[in-house]
Amino acid sequence: MKLTIIGTGYVGLVTGACFAEVGHRVICVDNDAAKVRQLRAGVIPIYEPGLEELVKRNVALGRLSFTENTPEGVQQSDVVFIAVPTPPQPDGSVDLSFIERVARDIAGAMTEYKIVVDKSTVPVKTGEKVAETIKRYCKAKVDCDVVSNPEFLREGFAVGDLMNPDRVVVGVRSQRPVAALKQIYAPFRAPIVVTDIASAELIKHASNSFLALKISYINAISVLCEASGANVQEVAAGMGMDERIGRRFLDAGIGFGGSCFPKDLSAFIKIAEQIGYDFRLLKEVQRINADQMDRFVKKIIETLWVLRDKKIAVLGLAFKQNTDDVRMSPAIALCQRLQKEGAALRVHDPKAMEKARPLLPDATCVEDMNAVAEGCDALVIATEWDEFKNLDLERVRKSLSHPILFDGRNLFDRAQMEERGWIYKSIGR
Ligand code: NAD
């Protein structure tokens, strides 16, 4: 099918590449001229495992192209996807101005029937507004169907998630666009949930909030474990074997972050408030998440006492492993807290150093993870990169002035670390 995706970021670019990979012809539109130039020159602006090969192969096959020109994208496709940002406003509600802008742009370019599919994460009832806006601004007075098709990919695993989705959610007002959506997704062999638009929109916010809740739940359990001498990893393993619970999202740590969970949680609380429901459960999820970071910083201060004039090494800046994304990264927030206390930082991340630099201008970036701790008073692990499990612990220990490790992601075995002479502090163990 001929598809256009407006917004070529994490979601738009990966979706475009995967749609092209299964044989659709895809135009990716972005209003960031520099990004389009880069993509045309074969430079992929984000790090996502497997993405570069996918983009290059499909560009070479003529199935994937990039443009800044929205009308061209709209006119040359049957189905137009929206994948632009929906950032938070200061009060937690969603800034829908990007969506509204694109709805007007689509309307202005439409000369025949189109299916307009929203992939961005939006508050319930946004689909109605998009449909209204397109109708109002479409001079050609042609028909269109608006569909809600929320995206569930995880950064760091986005290509795999898109190629093998657990389910595809399609929210529609009538049956007319359903066949086209089924045809687009048929090669992915996933169950397709066809529902109404409001339910589809709610599925996305309800899912992300539930996952954030699961993380806060295990983080709360980690506090009980620390107080009672239990081990949160053992508890999570035992809980996770129950199929009704599942092991995923039960890793205690320094809290969740990233461009989705914090914003979607605030948005969902605000959406509920506007509908007249006080979602106190989710407010508690936010509070536990903030507490978890406070407790970790406190642990560092309790051990090192005064941070002024101390040098601390930090491993991990991305908000999670396998990505270079540092938006709302708890690792960055942690670094900033340590700097505020007066510590000087040496930092390393396998992929996110370039994007982190502007956020941590005073930190020293170190290319070699095994050299990050040289001359430091302590080492902190802030992101769960697999690479860090292969750290040359002996070399790192010798390079520190004191063998102190604060492991915010529970990457190492506590007993083994202590046997090797480390002062080792982790989460919930
Ligand atoms: P992003 O910031 O990486 O990309 C958005 C892109 O849209 C940018 O390249 C921007 O230049 C472009 N853009 C903005 N306005 C435009 C316009 N008027 N015309 C053309 N292009 C325009 O954002 P993202 O992370 O891909 O997120 C997009 C949406 O998907 C958000 O609603 C987000 O919540 C949702 N989402 C994100 C993820 C994720 O893991 N990143 C997962 C699921 C859903």
Side-chain angles (χ1 to χ4, degrees):
M1 289 187 76
K2 291 182 181 171
L3 311 175
T4 286
I5 301 180
I6 303 181
T8 309
Y10 280 88
V11 169
L13 181 57
V14 184
T15 307
C18 291
F19 280 170
E21 180 68 9
V22 299
H24 300 304
R25 200 232 49 201
V26 183
I27 302 174
C28 282
V29 180
D30 206 286
N31 64 355
D32 179 342
K35 192 179 257 188
V36 171
R37 260 197 312 277
Q38 262 188 326
L39 284 161
R40 281 184 168 156
V43 179
I44 311 300
I46 53 170
Y47 171 71
E48 192 61 50
L51 181 63
E52 189 166 349
E53 301 86 288
L54 213 59
V55 170
K56 288 189 170 160
R57 183 167 56 246
N58 285 287
V59 168
L61 288 168
R63 292 198 296 235
L64 179 62
S65 61
F66 304 98
T67 180
E68 280 171 65
N69 189 330
T70 306
E72 180 191 311
V74 172
Q75 281 154 14
Q76 293 188 10
S77 288
D78 313 314
V79 184
V80 180
F81 287 80
I82 303 176
V84 294
T86 47
Q89 309 201 85
D91 69 351
S93 64
V94 182
D95 173 359
L96 288 168
S97 60
F98 294 83
I99 300 278
E100 196 265 354
R101 171 79 257 168
V102 171
R104 279 190 285 138
D105 289 348
I106 294 172
M110 266 170 54
T111 51
E112 57 184 350
Y113 169 76
K114 299 283 167 194
I115 299 174
V116 176
V117 186
D118 174 45
K119 243 192 189 311
S120 296
T121 302
V122 294
V124 61
K125 295 207 170 287
T126 301
E128 269 179 28
K129 286 280 179 203
V130 169
E132 254 174 55
T133 304
I134 293 179
K135 198 167 174 199
R136 188 171 305 143
Y137 286 89
C138 180
K139 289 199 188 79
K141 298 293 169 212
V142 288
D143 223 359
C144 114
D145 275 308
V146 171
V147 176
S148 167
N149 171 221
E151 181 48 59
F152 299 96
L153 65 81
R154 296 163 299 164
E155 285 180 26
F157 304 90
V159 172
D161 286 348
L162 258 155
M163 296 304 286
N164 296 294
D166 289 342
R167 79 309 204 181
V168 172
V169 173
V170 172
V172 289
R173 200 159 52 171
S174 76
Q175 287 303 305
R176 185 166 53 172
V178 172
L181 268 295
K182 284 191 171 165
Q183 195 180 333
I184 293 168
Y185 281 106
F188 300 95
R189 297 172 195 281
I192 297 181
V193 180
V194 179
T195 181
D196 59 279
I197 295 180
S199 300
E201 290 166 336
L202 271 178
I203 286 171
K204 175 63 191 179
H205 270 123
S207 302
N208 266 12
S209 299
F210 186 79
L211 293 171
L213 177 147
K214 213 174 162 190
I215 297 173
S216 275
Y217 187 82
I218 199 67
N219 280 335
I221 299 294
S222 80
V223 180
L224 298 184
C225 289
E226 281 180 25
S228 59
N231 180 332
V232 74
Q233 283 177 313
E234 303 283 323
V235 176
M239 285 172 65
M241 288 170 80
D242 187 327
E243 271 184 23
R244 294 169 303 175
I245 298 174
R247 175 64 185 80
R248 290 161 79 187
F249 286 80
L250 284 183
D251 289 309
I254 58 173
F256 57 78
S259 70
C260 288
F261 281 3
K263 118 175 139 61
D264 291 350
L265 202 55
S266 312
F268 207 27
I269 291 169
K270 206 73 196 167
I271 292 162
E273 187 186 303
Q274 282 158 0
I275 292 171
Y277 177 65
D278 181 6
F279 217 146
R280 279 172 299 188
L281 177 66
L282 294 186
K283 290 179 184 167
E284 193 56 24
V285 169
Q286 288 180 316
R287 199 183 63 77
I288 294 170
N289 199 50
D291 283 357
Q292 199 69 1
M293 176 65 80
D294 290 346
R295 286 166 35 76
F296 193 63
V297 172
K298 200 167 150 216
K299 219 175 253 184
I300 296 174
I301 293 174
E302 267 169 13
T303 309
L304 299 180
W305 195 12
V306 174
L307 296 194
R308 187 160 308 123
D309 301 330
K310 295 261 163 63
K311 247 197 213 171
I312 299 179
V314 179
L315 278 175
L317 301 169
F319 85 95
K320 64 175 187 178
Q321 65 167 324
N322 286 342
T323 179
D324 61 348
D325 196 351
V326 293
R327 293 178 287 178
M328 298 286 286
S329 168
I332 300 284
L334 175 63
C335 287
Q336 288 166 341
R337 292 275 292 267
L338 298 177
Q339 285 180 323
K340 211 166 154 214
E341 292 290 331
L345 301 185
R346 284 168 62 80
V347 298
H348 169 84
D349 188 282
K351 294 287 177 199
M353 228 120 76
E354 206 182 307
K355 289 194 173 154
R357 244 183 217 122
L359 302 172
L360 300 170
D362 297 329
T364 305
C365 293
V366 182
E367 289 298 330
D368 176 2
M369 69 173 178
N370 289 309
V372 73
E374 270 163 24
C376 289
D377 296 275
L379 172 64
V380 174
I381 296 177
T383 308
E384 69 281 24
W385 282 95
D386 272 343
E387 280 91 329
F388 300 159
K389 292 181 189 155
N390 300 323
L391 210 57
D392 182 345
L393 280 170
E394 219 23 56
R395 175 175 163 196
V396 172
R397 193 168 68 85
K398 284 184 187 142
S399 70
L400 280 160
S401 56
H402 311 281
I404 305 174
L405 173 51
F406 299 98
D407 184 353
R409 299 293 178 184
N410 286 349
L411 294 189
F412 297 105
D413 182 88
R414 182 178 157 186
Q416 271 181 16
M417 292 301 281
E418 287 174 353
E419 261 167 43
R420 288 181 191 156
W422 286 89
I423 297 168
Y424 179 76
K425 312 265 177 186
S426 55
I427 308 276
R429 312 184 294 171

